[in-house]
Amino acid sequence: MELQGKTAIVTGSARGVGEGIAVAMAKAGATVVINSRKEQDCLKTVEKIQAMGGTAIAIAADVAQEDQVMALVAETLKQLGRVDILVNNAGIESAPTLLKDISADTWDRVMAVNAKGVFLCCKAVIPPMMAQGKGKIINISSVAGVRMTFFGGANYTASKYAVMGLTNHLAWELADSRINVNAIAPGAVLTPLAEQSTTPEYREMTTQRLIPLGRWCTSDDIGHAAVFLASDRADMITGQILAVDGGILTGFGEDLRPVIRQRMADMQAKHS
Ligand SMILES: NC(=O)c1ccc[n+]([C@@H]2O[C@H](COP(=O)([O-])OP(=O)(O)OC[C@H]3O[C@@H](n4cnc5c(N)ncnc54)[C@H](O)[C@@H]3O)[C@@H](O)[C@H]2O)c1
């Protein structure tokens, strides 16, 4: 039980990757705060963890709203007394769109959740982590934040690069406070939403061309990596990006140009 006695906030953990991380952390002994914008959505994950014998509570908050983020952390401290781990997972991916067709509003919305949300959550947990003398912050970026992908548009890629910049900068800024800041860069993760929004043919094509290890990741794969980075075994790791991507970033996949051209043609067709 690597995380026994620790308290973790996992943003956007009502479903998908965040749910996988929350479940993995609860299995490792952590008490987990399940967050999403609506409390009702969080309860399913809370019940799942409780049914496994774990401990979780639901606290709703929009990570893009400073007052709600401050209230999320204040309520965590009120109910659980401490916050040892923050996983900045909440993120949105607007429909893949060529940059010339991305509206300024869409740009702002993606940045508000994916970049500003990470900033606000870090800002809110740093004082209690400093007071405790230790903490672990894990930011969920993407392979899009290391190179790029056509799963999202340029706004998504830019927002995930912002997460990497925050991770690197904060690792320096918080080192003296023994707060470790790392990022996980998932590749393609087969969440229920991803399953609905892609065809088996598309998944097979991307697997063949992009993923040397031959399958999409599961939320559990990301959860295992998050548990490690949150544990005391990772005390000497900070400022790192751990890609959990089946090898996408090795670049050993096939020639990607046909995939990229096909994706651009699909995007053009949608907007013409
Ligand atoms: N699924 C993938 O293939 C993949 C790949 C790389 C990176 N990621 C990243 O993993 C994270 C989770 O992705 P997912 O696929 O599970 O997405 P998802 O849409 O299935 O789940 C996201 C969760 O975050 C919540 N959320 C959204 N906006 C929020 C806000 N403003 N405040 C609080 N909660 C909010 C949603 O309600 C939902 O519960 C994101 O940061 C995403 O960019 C996902």
Side-chain angles (χ1 to χ4, degrees):
M1 297 286 254
E2 289 175 87
L3 303 182
Q4 193 67 46
K6 297 192 192 291
T7 294
I9 298 174
V10 184
T11 67
S13 47
R15 69 178 191 210
V17 173
E19 181 185 352
I21 294 169
V23 168
M25 289 196 164
K27 278 186 185 159
T31 297
V32 187
V33 175
I34 306 302
N35 155 264
S36 194
R37 274 164 303 187
K38 293 189 192 132
E39 184 168 357
Q40 192 57 33
D41 294 342
C42 303
L43 294 176
K44 188 178 59 71
T45 311
V46 170
E47 282 160 16
K48 188 172 177 175
I49 289 173
Q50 287 171 344
M52 290 169 2
T55 311
I57 61 169
I59 305 180
D62 180 341
V63 298
Q65 303 294 329
E66 186 165 20
D67 54 341
Q68 295 187 31
V69 171
M70 297 307 284
L72 164 68
V73 175
E75 190 58 28
T76 301
L77 293 171
K78 189 173 154 203
Q79 291 196 41
L80 305 175
R82 53 190 298 116
V83 54
D84 302 288
I85 302 158
L86 166 68
V87 183
N88 283 307
N89 167 80
I92 56 172
E93 193 182 294
S94 58
T97 311
L98 296 176
L99 187 117
K100 68 183 178 59
D101 300 317
I102 295 172
S103 70
D105 282 351
T106 302
W107 174 276
D108 287 346
R109 198 161 51 81
V110 170
M111 283 295 177
V113 180
N114 296 8
K116 186 179 168 195
V118 175
F119 152 67
L120 290 174
C121 291
C122 289
K123 189 176 168 188
V125 299
I126 287 169
M129 283 185 177
M130 278 182 163
Q132 288 163 200
K134 190 170 180 176
K136 295 270 161 61
I137 296 176
I138 300 164
N139 298 324
I140 305 303
S141 178
S142 165
V143 292
V146 181
R147 282 183 203 159
M148 52 80 71
T149 72
F150 274 94
F151 289 115
N155 49 351
Y156 181 74
T157 297
S159 73
K160 292 300 184 179
Y161 267 76
V163 172
M164 293 307 196
L166 271 167
T167 302
N168 206 38
H169 190 109
L170 271 184
W172 266 103
E173 195 174 304
L174 298 174
D176 284 346
S177 308
R178 292 183 64 228
I179 300 172
N180 305 56
V181 189
N182 291 293
I184 294 175
V189 188
L190 193 55
T191 60
L193 196 73
E195 199 159 8
Q196 278 166 28
S197 62
T198 57
T199 61
E201 294 73 29
Y202 178 75
R203 294 197 294 274
E204 181 57 23
M205 187 267 289
T206 51
T207 300
Q208 292 299 329
R209 289 183 179 273
L210 298 175
I211 310 174
L213 286 178
R215 66 167 174 83
W216 280 37
C217 294
T218 64
S219 295
D220 286 348
D221 293 320
I222 315 302
H224 297 320
V227 167
F228 168 64
L229 288 175
S231 74
D232 293 346
R233 289 192 293 160
D235 277 355
M236 284 302 286
I237 301 175
T238 200
Q240 296 303 302
I241 302 158
L242 178 53
V244 183
D245 66 345
I248 292 176
L249 291 176
T250 63
F252 283 123
E254 285 178 43
D255 182 351
L256 301 186
R257 283 170 296 181
V259 179
I260 291 169
R261 288 200 189 105
Q262 180 64 52
R263 194 71 175 151
M264 289 188 77
D266 291 348
M267 288 196 266
Q268 289 279 17
K270 256 175 88 172
H271 289 275
S272 60

